[in-house]
Amino acid sequence: MRAALKLLRGIWHVLVGWVTIYFRFPQLSQQQRDARVQVWAMQLLRIWGIDLEVRGQPVVSGPALLVCNHISWLDILVIHATRHCRFVSKSELRDWPVLGTLATGGGTLYIQRAQRKDAMRMVKDMAQALRNGDVLGVFPEGTTGDGIGMLPFHANLIQSAIEADAPIQPMALQFVDSASGQISMAARYIDDDTLLASVWSTLNAQGLKAIVNFGQMQTAQDRDRRAWAQDLHQEVLSLKNKCFAA
């Protein structure tokens, strides 16, 4: 019953967000839009009973590329609640009812992952956005993991920071049980998990906490994209492991 109530309240909050983006955003500045998205994300986490703990200091202003591990459909919402950024996402999301409007309103950049040429186009678009002073966010693993280990980082999108001469801020995300401090699998979204089942598992969880750990800003320092991606992988893994340190 409690999970069903959370779901209904969450659906209403999503619809309110959709209306705000569709009718209110055209009258707002970009800074005001970003602030609205962050507050909206924080409110949805509160509605769903998900605690949020932020460690480290998120970048104050762009240009910057945020690089994070990927666990769940919930990741973007959690990160938006800590620091608004423009995410890179698959192009199919743009056409999803309601969620596509929310993603577009949040400034999402879309990529057709199946087309190699589109990846090159996306790198150029990201580099231009960074030159314009934007804060972008990517999940270099390319897909979600189990929250225990981490998949290798793809280096392609790291090239955008090199081309724009922009810094990267590594960050890590982990879902834990508030009582035990151990990894929580409630929000996982991997393999044969369906979105509906993952959402329902999340809403049924008691004491679910999202910990976001921001690292130090870094520049390329003559590294190519592959070398930088490998170093970022190690840094994000270290930040992730520190999520369990008090």
Side-chain angles (χ1 to χ4, degrees):
M1 184 65 182
R2 182 178 300 177
L5 181 58
K6 287 181 181 179
L7 179 60
L8 291 175
R9 293 180 63 197
I11 290 173
W12 175 254
H13 191 67
V14 167
L15 291 175
V16 170
W18 181 86
V19 170
T20 300
I21 288 173
Y22 202 85
F23 294 103
R24 186 77 178 103
F25 268 31
Q27 286 79 45
L28 301 179
S29 67
Q30 189 59 55
Q31 186 175 11
Q32 290 172 322
R33 294 180 185 182
D34 295 349
R36 288 288 185 94
V37 171
Q38 184 172 1
V39 170
W40 180 89
M42 293 173 64
Q43 290 172 338
L44 187 52
L45 290 180
R46 193 175 302 117
I47 288 171
W48 281 348
I50 301 170
D51 293 330
L52 176 63
E53 180 179 340
V54 181
R55 301 179 183 178
Q57 180 61 50
V59 60
V60 176
S61 60
L65 179 64
L66 303 181
V67 169
C68 187
N69 61 308
H70 200 9
I71 300 173
S72 170
W73 55 272
L74 193 56
D75 296 354
I76 291 178
L77 179 66
V78 170
I79 294 172
H80 271 324
T82 63
R83 207 283 175 217
H84 177 271
C85 64
R86 300 182 67 189
F87 279 100
V88 175
S89 183
K90 59 183 181 180
S91 58
E92 293 88 341
L93 178 60
R94 178 168 42 197
D95 300 322
W96 287 8
V98 182
L99 295 181
T101 300
L102 292 174
T104 301
T108 299
L109 297 169
Y110 296 104
I111 180 173
Q112 297 182 32
R113 293 178 178 175
Q115 298 184 17
R116 187 170 183 179
K117 289 184 178 179
D118 201 58
M120 297 172 61
R121 189 270 310 169
M122 177 52 68
V123 168
K124 292 181 180 179
D125 287 353
M126 289 175 62
Q128 186 57 54
L130 290 169
R131 294 188 192 100
N132 293 339
D134 288 350
V135 177
L136 307 182
V138 295
F139 300 112
E141 290 172 283
T143 187
T144 53
D146 59 11
I148 300 174
M150 275 175 43
L151 300 170
F153 278 6
H154 297 290
N156 289 345
L157 299 184
I158 304 300
Q159 182 65 31
S160 63
I162 295 175
E163 292 190 8
D165 194 23
I168 290 179
Q169 182 171 35
M171 58 183 292
L173 170 65
Q174 187 65 67
F175 293 102
V176 303
D177 177 80
S178 296
S180 66
Q182 299 302 306
I183 291 177
S184 173
M185 294 294 183
R188 79 170 199 170
Y189 184 44
I190 59 173
D191 300 331
D192 296 328
D193 294 335
T194 65
L195 179 58
L196 181 59
S198 180
V199 170
W200 191 246
S201 173
T202 300
L203 296 180
N204 274 287
Q206 298 293 317
L208 182 61
K209 177 192 286 188
I211 300 177
V212 181
N213 194 8
F214 287 91
Q216 298 297 314
M217 302 290 292
Q218 54 179 264
T219 57
Q221 296 180 332
D222 296 325
R223 288 173 289 189
D224 63 20
R225 65 185 184 186
R226 290 183 176 81
W228 202 0
Q230 291 175 354
D231 291 345
L232 286 166
H233 185 278
Q234 292 302 310
E235 180 63 20
V236 172
L237 182 60
S238 175
L239 290 167
K240 178 179 174 298
N241 291 335
K242 290 177 182 177
C243 286
F244 301 104

